[in-house]
Amino acid sequence: MRVLVTGGAGYIGSVVVEELLRAGHGVTVIDNLSKGHADAVPPEVELVRADLREAERLRRLLRDDRVEAVVHMAADSLVGESVQSPAKYYDNNVIAGLGLLDAMVDVGVHRLVFSSTAAVYGEPEAQPIDETAATRPTNPYGETKLALERAFAWYERAYGLRSASLRYFNAAGASARCGELHDPETHLIPLVLQVALGRAPYVTVYGDDYPTPDGTCVRDYIHVVDLARAHVLALSAVDRGSCVYNLGCGGPGYTVRQVVDVAREVTGAPIPVRLGPRRAGDPAILVASSSRIQRELGWRPQLGALTTIVESAWAWLRVHPHGYAH
């Protein structure tokens, strides 16, 4: 199948590209490189540096490359930034997303895999979170992702566009070729590893009085390669109809202190910790259930152990201490 990956030069998107190639698909990437890295795209894959708002160029790309399906990864995804700049998130995540749907409909592309977020659930009442949980986002990031998801049902009814939405929390780890490189970095595992490298004096733990085994927040971490494999599986599922799947590590999740402890074991570095206050809106536990996708598509995380995740991230960082260009 010929697949267009939006945001395919980004952290998760680049690994999705790798897995699509491994599965035998043809791939084209469109990315404006505002956050992505050209060197993350395999040399045999065409990288089109463009914005999804360039409507005619997008239509021409879909048509000329004879695209049969789209994996939509491109989005703004920082929760704090979304609260400060909701207009940016509605523009990039909703307006640009709807432009993509319109281009697909115009050209006759009717398969879409959407990289969504478990932030659509807000602060759920039950853990682990399954797909029947109420969607009550608590920030514009989650709200804009959900807004685009809600459009899918209407586009399917009117135009026959079928979609698979994948909702997850924390992608982590690295493939041999592609790893996590954000500016600014907000994710726990790369922040901890930056301390191990000596680039930061400590990692801050926000709150140690939660009702969890060690008082720190519990979160769900999913290896980026497992996540990418789920996107490839979902691509084949949309022919049977639209669907929504949660993705998680398949276990109870990990506390912040567990992440730090594993990183100490993997790196051999002391990794000092500073205790900070709770962050507003941080639930004690956020863990997604993967039961539906396991049952319907046979997906199971192969690299779900926290040690495996941290080892892969550390291995990539040691090879790329200054990013892709060095």
Side-chain angles (χ1 to χ4, degrees), residues 135-165:
T135 49
R136 293 189 291 252
T138 56
N139 53 69
Y141 167 54
E143 187 67 51
T144 54
K145 286 283 198 173
L146 183 60
L148 191 59
E149 279 197 36
R150 285 174 168 157
F152 295 160
W154 300 107
Y155 272 70
E156 181 176 21
R157 179 180 294 185
Y159 312 118
L161 193 154
R162 298 180 300 277
S163 63
S165 294

Side-chain angles (χ1 to χ4, degrees), residues 11 18 46 147 173 177 195 219 254 278 294 306-307:
Y11 167 46
E18 287 187 299
E46 179 188 8
R177 188 179 185 280
V195 177
R219 293 292 181 264
Y254 302 100
R278 286 190 182 193
Q294 291 183 18
L306 183 58
T307 299

Side-chain angles (χ1 to χ4, degrees), residues 172-173 188-193 196 203 205 214 216 219 221 223 253-273 303-315:
L188 178 60
I189 289 176
L191 287 173
V192 170
L193 295 181
V203 63
V205 174
D214 62 21
T216 64
R219 293 292 181 264
Y221 296 92
H223 197 290
Y254 302 100
T255 69
V256 175
R257 289 197 183 278
Q258 284 177 315
V259 171
V260 174
D261 287 343
V262 167
R264 286 169 175 156
E265 294 173 8
V266 168
T267 65
I271 309 182
V273 168
L303 304 167
L306 183 58
T307 299
T308 302
I309 292 171
V310 174
E311 284 176 344
S312 68
W314 181 238

